[in-house]
């Protein structure tokens, strides 16, 4: 449910199986039969993490938090209250594992979304906005193209919760563009507010990086250049010689 609210996709049930080849406390996450993550838990322990503001140390076993690889400490239950009082973030084993699993699902969401899943999303939207769905699929775009655009967005960690805005953008531009990468860019523009909020700090201020005019023009103009990046930055108009090409 949390992933559905965040990303806008419905995640299939997670199957849990025993594996005697794993060490005690170890778990492995598989996608389509292939391992994509692995970590280890310590039974009857809690995971304590320093949010960056705590200077006092606590007794425990040094480790790394499995989701982001941050330094952490396995502590016994008797130390839990003391760690919390000192400012550490303390979580139980179930939270450690589900946080790791949720992160893996977010990073691989584009692989979990196929034609059947997209068709179900379209069917749900069709109940409230039938004209948008009927006009787009299959008259303007095949289902596979819509799937590819949604996968491109999820691969970039862009939520597809606002499916209506995405389909409206695709319906507007599909008569003029069939390339899914180009259509994905139009979908991004339709989700501008959502994408901006993903990177907006609590202060509400956004940092902006300005490119020099010559650099922006050089990136926009396709060309073959063999040489050092620093040389191109100094002189992006430098032609490519036959020997270099």
């Amino acid at each position: 449910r949390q992933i559905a609210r965040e990303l806008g996709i419905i995640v299939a049930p997670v199957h849990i199986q025993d594996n005697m080849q794993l060490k005690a406390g170890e778990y492995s996450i598989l996608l389509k039969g292939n391992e994509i993550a692995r970590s280890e838990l310590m039974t009857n322990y809690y995971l304590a993490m320093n949010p960056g503001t705590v200077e006092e140390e606590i007794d425990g076993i040094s480790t790394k938090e499995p989701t982001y690889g941050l330094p952490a400490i396995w502590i016994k239950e008797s130390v839990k209250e003391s760690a919390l009082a000192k400012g550490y973030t303390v979580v139980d084993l179930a939270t450690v594992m589900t946080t790791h699993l949720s992160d893996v699902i977010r990073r691989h969401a584009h692989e979990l979304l196929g034609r059947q899943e997209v068709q179900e999303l379209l069917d749900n939207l069709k109940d409230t906005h039938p004209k948008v769905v009927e006009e787009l699929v299959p008259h303007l775009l095949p289902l596979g193209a819509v799937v590819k655009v949604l996968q491109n967005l999820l691969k970039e960690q862009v939520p597809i919760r606002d499916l209506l805005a995405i389909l409206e953008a695709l319906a507007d531009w599909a008569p003029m563009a069939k390339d899914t990468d180009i259509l994905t860019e139009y979908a991004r523009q339709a989700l501008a507010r959502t994408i901006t909020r993903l990177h907006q700090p609590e202060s509400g201020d956004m940092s902006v990086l300005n490119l020099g005019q010559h650099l922006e023009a050089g990136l926009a103009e396709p060309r073959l250049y063999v040489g050092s990046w620093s040389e191109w930055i100094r002189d992006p108009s430098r032609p490519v010689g036959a020997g270099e090409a």
Side-chain angles (χ1 to χ4, degrees), residues 114-115 118 122 137 141-151 180:
R115 282 172 169 77
V118 172
L122 294 179
V137 181
L141 284 177
L143 178 62
V146 177
V147 172
K148 184 61 177 176
V149 170
L150 296 179
Q151 288 175 339
T180 53

Side-chain angles (χ1 to χ4, degrees), residues 175-188:
M176 292 163 281
K178 299 299 181 183
D179 186 286
T180 53
D181 289 335
I182 295 176
L183 290 173
T184 302
E185 174 55 28
Y186 290 127
R188 288 192 200 97

Side-chain angles (χ1 to χ4, degrees), residues 20-36:
M20 301 305 294
Q21 296 179 344
L22 296 175
K23 296 183 294 184
E26 189 177 31
Y27 66 88
S28 173
I29 301 176
L30 280 67
L31 176 61
K32 300 177 181 178
N34 299 306
E35 182 179 300
I36 54 176

Side-chain angles (χ1 to χ4, degrees), residues 4 9 32 34 42 47 68 83 112 128 131 136 142 144 175 190 196 199 226 236 241:
I9 66 171
K32 300 177 181 178
N34 299 306
M42 290 194 67
L47 190 67
Y68 305 107
L112 300 173
T128 54
K131 291 299 181 183
L136 182 61
T196 300
H199 305 283
V226 179

Side-chain angles (χ1 to χ4, degrees), residues 7-243:
L7 297 181
I9 66 171
I10 300 174
V11 181
V14 178
H15 299 281
I16 302 176
Q17 295 179 330
D18 289 332
N19 188 338
M20 301 305 294
Q21 296 179 344
L22 296 175
K23 296 183 294 184
E26 189 177 31
Y27 66 88
S28 173
I29 301 176
L30 280 67
L31 176 61
K32 300 177 181 178
N34 299 306
E35 182 179 300
I36 54 176
R38 179 186 290 239
S39 190
E40 196 170 347
L41 304 175
M42 290 194 67
T43 309
N44 300 323
Y45 277 73
Y46 288 84
L47 190 67
M49 293 165 287
N50 188 337
T53 58
V54 182
E55 297 181 356
E56 294 185 66
E57 296 184 357
I58 55 175
D59 294 331
I61 302 172
S62 297
T63 184
K64 286 188 176 181
E65 187 270 338
T67 305
Y68 305 107
L70 301 175
I73 303 172
W74 289 116
I75 62 172
K76 295 182 178 180
E77 186 173 4
S78 58
V79 187
K80 178 183 175 182
E81 294 302 325
S82 174
L84 288 171
K86 292 178 180 178
Y88 283 86
T89 300
V90 181
V91 294
D92 58 20
L93 299 185
T95 302
V96 174
M97 181 182 292
T98 53
T99 300
H100 192 189
L101 179 60
S102 298
D103 180 70
V104 167
I105 291 174
R106 290 187 189 93
R107 288 189 286 108
H108 295 271
H110 60 285
E111 299 181 62
L112 300 173
L113 190 73
R115 282 172 169 77
Q116 185 61 43
E117 291 76 19
V118 172
Q119 186 61 60
E120 292 177 4
L121 293 175
L122 294 179
D123 290 342
N124 291 334
L125 186 63
K126 195 173 182 179
D127 292 337
T128 54
H129 297 81
K131 291 299 181 183
V132 178
V133 178
E134 292 171 2
E135 179 185 354
L136 182 61
V137 181
H139 297 97
L140 295 177
L141 284 177
L143 178 62
V146 177
V147 172
K148 184 61 177 176
V149 170
L150 296 179
Q151 288 175 339
N152 287 345
L153 294 171
L154 289 173
K155 190 180 297 185
E156 300 168 358
Q157 305 281 302
V158 176
I160 59 171
R161 294 189 308 268
D162 194 353
L163 186 60
L164 177 60
I166 296 173
L167 297 187
E168 290 276 13
L170 295 181
D172 290 340
W173 292 100
M176 292 163 281
K178 299 299 181 183
D179 186 286
T180 53
D181 289 335
I182 295 176
L183 290 173
T184 302
E185 174 55 28
Y186 290 127
R188 288 192 200 97
Q189 294 175 16
L191 298 175
R193 185 178 292 108
T194 298
I195 296 175
T196 300
R197 292 189 65 178
L198 290 175
H199 305 283
Q200 189 175 25
E202 293 182 1
S203 64
D205 298 326
M206 292 286 288
S207 299
V208 177
L209 177 65
N210 265 337
L211 299 179
Q213 185 176 359
H214 70 283
L215 178 56
E216 185 174 348
L219 292 173
E221 178 185 351
R223 68 175 70 194
L224 175 63
Y225 179 76
V226 179
S228 71
W229 176 247
S230 59
E231 290 175 355
W232 187 84
I233 288 292
R234 288 195 298 270
D235 185 13
S237 61
R238 175 177 174 270
V240 180

